[in-house]
Amino acid sequence: MDRLTSMAVFVKTVELGSFSAAAAALDLSGPMVGKHVQSLEDRLGTRLLNRTTRRQSLTEFGRTYYEHCRAILNDVEAAEALAADQASEPRGRLRVTMPVHFGRRCVAPILLDLARQYSALELDLSFSDRLADLADGEYDLALRTGDLEDRAGIISRRVARQQMVVCASPSYLETHGRPEQVEDLNKHEALVYRRAGIVAPWLFPRSDLPTIRFTPPYRFRFDDLDAIADAATAAMGIAWLPYWLVRDRIDDGSLTPVLSREPGFLYDCYALWLQTPHMPRKVRIAIDLIASTLPKLMSAPSP
């Protein structure tokens, strides 16, 4: 007899408590259930069930063997589900959380392209700078930038690097001059980003040395990156922003990059998901597409 089938019959017999109940559940005859259990006992050379006319019970070895059989059958079921999933197109609801501006400008267009390719795929997109807890089961995937906390059960994959750029409008530079090095920023009016009441320092990498963390003089604070870009375009000050956010303004000349001798700081961008024995195909395909597309949007061109 097929060993896996006999294991399945044995497990069902243990769980339902009798040959007759297992036979009814599996659409087999009572004697056939007995033959499957007997086949396992003959193969193993030991008894799995103590049988009487009134009841049956697991032997000590039978209890251990039952736990192993159940684990094996679960693994087989998971493997078959994985094979079926890999053979099908992505379908169902994909729930993704991401930072507001980064998500809207960079990630959402990629996911919408994915939905155009697969008509059975649904998107549920959340734009929030709040860090969602994936363990709550509310989201399948999260996109984040910057440093990550090490959390048990969460898998992360770097999908891109976000390059920062210092920029100002041509009219601002004409009036206030052009900074050539980090120290020159002390002579300028900065437009700074504030989150949870804390002003984020501007970061400038140094090869073989710690990154410079610099907070320039400022009069204006914002908790919205688009508002900073608008203020910089209006010649209200100098800004440190992600290149992808100001790329169009740089291309049309309304903003000009400065400190060209300074290498731009790179923030890592990550995809995060719960560690599971089987990653749904829709999640895997979304991550792969994001990882192949995002880098084209993140980094600034070489000076």
Side-chain angles (χ1 to χ4, degrees):
M1 291 184 172
D2 176 73
R3 195 184 312 182
L4 279 177
T5 301
S6 296
M7 286 181 176
V9 172
F10 169 64
V11 166
K12 185 64 71 174
T13 300
V14 172
E15 291 175 346
L16 297 182
S18 70
F19 283 8
S20 59
L26 297 172
D27 197 22
L28 297 172
S29 66
M32 181 57 68
V33 171
K35 288 182 180 180
H36 277 289
V37 175
Q38 185 65 53
S39 173
L40 290 176
E41 291 178 332
D42 291 344
R43 180 186 295 274
L44 296 168
T46 188
R47 186 174 289 275
L48 297 173
L49 293 170
N50 294 314
R51 308 171 182 79
T52 68
T53 55
R54 292 179 175 270
R55 60 187 296 272
Q56 64 185 34
S57 62
L58 284 166
T59 64
E60 184 176 351
F61 175 77
R63 186 172 295 106
T64 301
Y65 187 71
Y66 162 74
E67 295 296 339
H68 283 285
C69 285
R70 189 170 63 174
I72 289 169
L73 292 170
N74 286 340
D75 286 345
V76 170
E77 184 175 346
E80 290 177 344
L82 175 63
D85 186 56
Q86 294 300 313
S88 65
E89 72 171 34
R91 62 179 59 250
R93 187 168 54 152
L94 178 64
R95 303 164 301 168
V96 187
T97 177
M98 63 199 89
V100 177
H101 294 297
F102 173 65
R104 186 185 303 146
R105 298 285 189 89
C106 300
V107 180
I110 297 172
L111 294 176
L112 290 172
D113 281 344
L114 183 67
R116 289 188 188 97
Q117 296 178 48
Y118 300 104
S119 59
L121 183 67
E122 303 173 27
L123 295 180
D124 189 341
L125 307 183
S126 173
F127 301 90
S128 172
D129 293 329
R130 178 183 63 87
L131 298 178
D133 187 352
L134 292 174
D136 290 343
E138 190 175 352
Y139 299 104
D140 304 302
L141 183 64
L143 278 298
R144 290 293 157 203
T145 61
D147 296 332
L148 299 178
E149 294 182 11
D150 187 14
R151 295 191 178 185
I154 301 296
I155 304 298
S156 64
R157 174 182 172 185
R158 191 176 76 184
V159 291
R161 307 195 81 184
Q162 167 182 290
Q163 185 164 340
M164 304 297 291
V165 60
V166 181
C167 57
S169 71
S171 60
Y172 174 90
L173 296 175
E174 183 177 348
T175 302
H176 298 276
R178 187 186 189 98
E180 298 295 340
Q181 54 190 3
V182 174
E183 292 74 14
D184 293 343
L185 294 173
N186 283 313
K187 305 172 186 176
H188 289 267
E189 193 78 67
L191 307 166
V192 299
Y193 178 70
R194 171 181 56 82
R195 181 175 181 181
I198 299 173
V199 172
W202 297 7
L203 307 178
F204 299 93
R206 291 291 182 270
S207 57
D208 303 325
L209 290 172
T211 294
I212 293 177
R213 301 173 64 87
F214 182 81
T215 302
Y218 60 86
R219 189 158 58 102
F220 304 107
R221 294 179 295 173
F222 305 80
D223 65 358
D224 183 275
L225 294 177
D226 264 329
I228 294 177
D230 288 342
T233 303
M236 297 301 294
I238 195 164
W240 185 67
L241 292 166
Y243 171 72
W244 55 262
L245 183 71
V246 293
R247 178 182 56 217
D248 292 344
R249 301 179 194 237
I250 289 174
D251 289 345
D252 67 20
S254 56
L255 287 177
T256 301
V258 296
L259 299 182
S260 57
R261 298 176 185 174
E262 297 289 342
F265 186 82
L266 297 174
Y267 276 112
D268 289 333
C269 306
Y270 295 95
L272 299 92
W273 64 94
L274 277 178
Q275 184 176 19
T276 58
H278 165 52
M279 179 190 286
R281 180 169 169 78
K282 61 186 178 184
V283 177
R284 183 180 301 279
I285 284 184
I287 294 170
D288 288 344
L289 183 61
I290 290 169
S292 65
T293 308
L294 260 187
K296 304 169 188 175
L297 304 174
M298 293 292 98
S299 60
S302 301

